[in-house]
Every structure is written in C-alpha cells, then in structure tokens.
Amino acid sequence: MIDAGQQAAARALNLPAQHTPEPAAPDLEVIRHARIACVIPAYNEQETIAEVLESLLSQTRLPDVIHVVVNNTDDDTVEIANRYRGKHRRSVKGQSYETTIHVHDMGVNPDKKVGALNFGFRLARGYDYLLGVDGDTTADRRAVEWLEKEIVDDPRIGGISAIYSIDKSKIEGGTAKFLVAGQRAQFAGFNMDNLLHGRNMAVLGGQFSIFSMHALQTVMVRDHQHTPWVRDSEVEDSKLSLQIRDAGFSTKISARARAYVGAMTNLRALHGQQVKWNYGAIDLMWPGQRGDTKGQPLHPNLRLRWFENISMLSNIFSRMAFLLLLAAALSIHAFVFNPVWLIPPAIAIALNLRLALAMHDKSASDLAFCFLLPAEAYMWIRIGHFLSAWTQFFARVEKDNWAAQAAAEKGRGSAYIFPLVVFAAVFGLLILAWSQQTVSVQAAILSLGWPALYIFTVVQTLFMARKVFRRQRGFTV
C-alpha cells in the first residue's frame, strides 16, 4: 500500500501515484577540473617566448586556453609565438587535456604590461581562474597542476604565486654567474619568509601566479575600477595583491609549484629592475596620497616589506659605521683587532648556508656564494639599489621606471654607477672632516663610536641567529 504522504509526494513531482521517486543518479559533471585561462604579456621576448610556450605545453595539467598578448614589441616575438597557434592535446596518466594558443599583437600600447594584462583579463571572462605568466618565465612540469589543486581546495584564496627562482644552467660568464647566484639567494630568502608566515604572500608576482576570476571581479567592483590591474603603480602586482587582501581574500605562496624567472645578468639591468621594485614598494608603504595611489603603511601584506627596509637600513648603518671607524682608527694608529668582531660574519655565513641548503635545486655555486666575499659584495649592490629608490622617491623625481628598466636591459643608461659615485663622495667627505679634527676630538669619537657600534651589532647578530635556528618545517625554496 502507498500511504497518503507518498501519494502527495508523487503528485508534487507529477509522477504516477503507484510509483515512488527513485534516488537521483550522481551528477558526474560536478567533479571536474576548473577552467583556467593563461595570459602571457610579452614585450620583446623573441629569445624566450618559445621556451615559455614549450614549458606550458609540457605541463601535467594544460591551461584550457593560452593568450599571448604582445605589446610595444619591435622584435620577432609575434612571428615566433605564431608557430604555436592553434590546438594542442596532451594525455597524462589517462587524463586528456586540450588547449588552444592565441596570439594577439596589440601594437603600440601606452599602458604596457598593465594594458596587456587587462586585455588578457577581458579574454579570460567566463573562466574560473586566470594564470598570469611572464614572457621569460618557465615552470616545473607540475606547476599548473599544483596551483590548481591549491586554489580550488580553498575558495577563500584570491591568488597563489609559485615559488620563484632562476634557472642557472644556461648562464655564462663570471659576472653573470655571480649576479644570478645573488638573485637566487635573494629569491630564496623572500620565499622562505613568506612560507614561514602562514604561506601568506606579500606580492603575487606576475611571473607565474594564478588568480581567482571572482576575486579579480570583486576588486574591480570594490575599488570602482574597469580593470583589475591599474597603471598608477610602479609594481602593478603589489597593488593588486593589496586590493585582493582588502577584498577579503587571502594571497598565498604555493608549497610546491615552482617557476624560473628571467635573470638579470649585468649590473645595469639588475639596477633597473631592483630600483623599480623598491620604488613601487615604497610608494605603497609610505603614508599619504600620491595621485591615485594611497600609501598603506599598516597593510598586513606590507609588514614583510617594512621588515626588509628596516633590515637594509641596519645593514647600511653597521657597514658604514664599521668602515668609517676602522679608517679613522687606522689613521691615528689606534686600531686593535678583537676576535669578537668575527662572530657577526660567522653568523651571517651560517644563515646564508642554511638558506642555500633549503634550495630545491642547490648546487656548489649556491653554497660557494654563501661565504663572505660574494655575499658581501652582492649586499653592497643591493644597498645601492635601495638608496637609489629612496632617493628617487624623496626627490619626487618624475621618472618612468618601466622605461628605465627596459633601456637598461638593452644596455642603455648609466644610473647603476650613481650609488658608487655617491658612496665615494660621502666617504671622502667624512674622512676629510675627520682629518680636520683635533686628536682629543678624534679619540672621543672613537671611544663613543666603537661601543655604540658594538651594541648595535650584538642586536643585529641576535636577529640573524634567530633566523639561523628557526624551524623551516620542511619547506624548500
């Protein structure tokens, strides 16, 4: 017998009264991969664009579509990218993937990389995620797979950045190898700090990051923007990372996905890149309104930036003070060597070695770089970039740092020499001022200067020792 309740249910579903509803079959379409659109903004990338596309096509999880957005180029980037246009298929462990590569030549684009990214965003509408890849960045074959798994697993995530490093296998020349070793160590330190802070990424670097389209659209609505990326910041990825965080999403660094970015192999190019990065970060950190950019000194994504800047100031002070006091003491034959001054460099070497040993693809050159001379030389180069960026910011110099970096990478410009000239001038003036003092004044300066530097160095060394002994929780960079 069918009771009254069953008959009522049958009538509600428009079924014959003698039948009861059968359980619905599971919807197999619910279990599926997300739809990922990859956007590659490319500017004069004829040397690398083929390798970048080959890297994407060899992924264990292909993006569903790849848009190469060429802008302002005067080389053969378009012609080389066009060789890859069309459909590509790949099967991995029984799972078939298909992607289509499109090449778009924007011609002259006044908004440069930002314009290319926003053009790609419009092409990616209807997809779940946007994968941004620079035109000189390759990735580990499982990078897209890992990024997808991590971002799909947690809808609170607005974007995830890969772990960045530099592929040193194709670097030739002594200077280039030295600079690349320094950049690899710099990336390793930045990555490890982010991994150990809850994997919260301060900057979703545009080199190889995946973004939730929902998060990007939320940013646009919340901040009254027509596009996710804006052109009023020197570092468009940092500004967007702050906006994603403000919109209620988290910004993360992947625990496994790895990407290899283009290296700066000469001092001129490295200076252009690092000054742009530093200046853009300062512009976001410093309080006050500058055009459409508002400084957000207390933003949680900028805490690590503040720590980096304070750390650089302490490095500048300790090094300059030591050199000046050493020169002053030697000039009046008052220097007495104390072995205790060997402790700070020993701790610094231990810290560099610990970080190098945590590198995923460490080599003998990475370990050799950790010792005093190479690491110290690279620190002085970084100090030059740091001071140049702050000088430009406080001087309110109107300068297109994007154009300056592009010119530097082409071998034009001499701004990288400026920090050395300034250092020599300042050091010379201080030594001259020292020579004009009486012996009693010189003795008083030394008697106060050395103890003050001693106390400061003790504090600085304790901070380094803390990082040497902190748990790295199995992370590799």
Side-chain angles (χ1 to χ4, degrees), residues 265-372:
T265 55
N266 60 73
L267 287 170
R268 181 183 281 108
L270 181 63
H271 181 84
Q273 179 200 64
Q274 298 277 326
V275 169
K276 179 175 74 70
W277 284 356
N278 279 289
Y279 183 91
I282 296 166
D283 205 33
L284 293 174
M285 290 164 47
W286 199 255
Q289 187 81 30
R290 288 169 293 282
D292 294 326
T293 300
K294 181 182 179 181
Q296 302 180 63
L298 301 180
H299 196 285
N301 273 33
L302 295 175
R303 291 171 186 164
L304 188 57
R305 289 288 194 179
W306 276 111
F307 180 80
E308 289 171 353
N309 278 265
I310 292 169
S311 177
M312 286 299 293
L313 283 173
S314 69
N315 282 321
I316 293 169
F317 175 80
S318 60
R319 284 161 171 78
M320 286 295 291
F322 181 80
L323 288 177
L324 288 168
L325 288 170
L326 178 62
L330 289 172
S331 70
I332 59 173
H333 308 289
F335 178 72
V336 177
F337 174 73
N338 190 330
V340 74
W341 287 104
L342 296 177
I343 296 176
I347 297 294
I349 291 171
L351 178 58
N352 293 336
L353 280 171
R354 180 119 197 264
L355 198 56
L357 291 171
M359 287 185 182
H360 177 70
D361 57 346
K362 57 185 172 290
S363 65
S365 61
D366 294 310
L367 298 176
F369 177 83
C370 299
F371 291 90
L372 199 56

Side-chain angles (χ1 to χ4, degrees), residues 8-23:
R11 285 195 298 271
L13 292 172
N14 197 27
L15 296 175
Q18 67 270 26
H19 294 290
T20 56
E22 295 183 1

Side-chain angles (χ1 to χ4, degrees), residues 69-89:
V69 185
V70 185
N71 66 102
N72 302 298
T73 192
D74 56 12
D75 66 2
D76 295 330
T77 301
V78 174
E79 289 77 5
I80 295 171
N82 275 333
R83 299 173 191 167
Y84 293 87
R85 288 179 66 176
K87 292 189 180 297
H88 299 263
R89 293 179 178 84

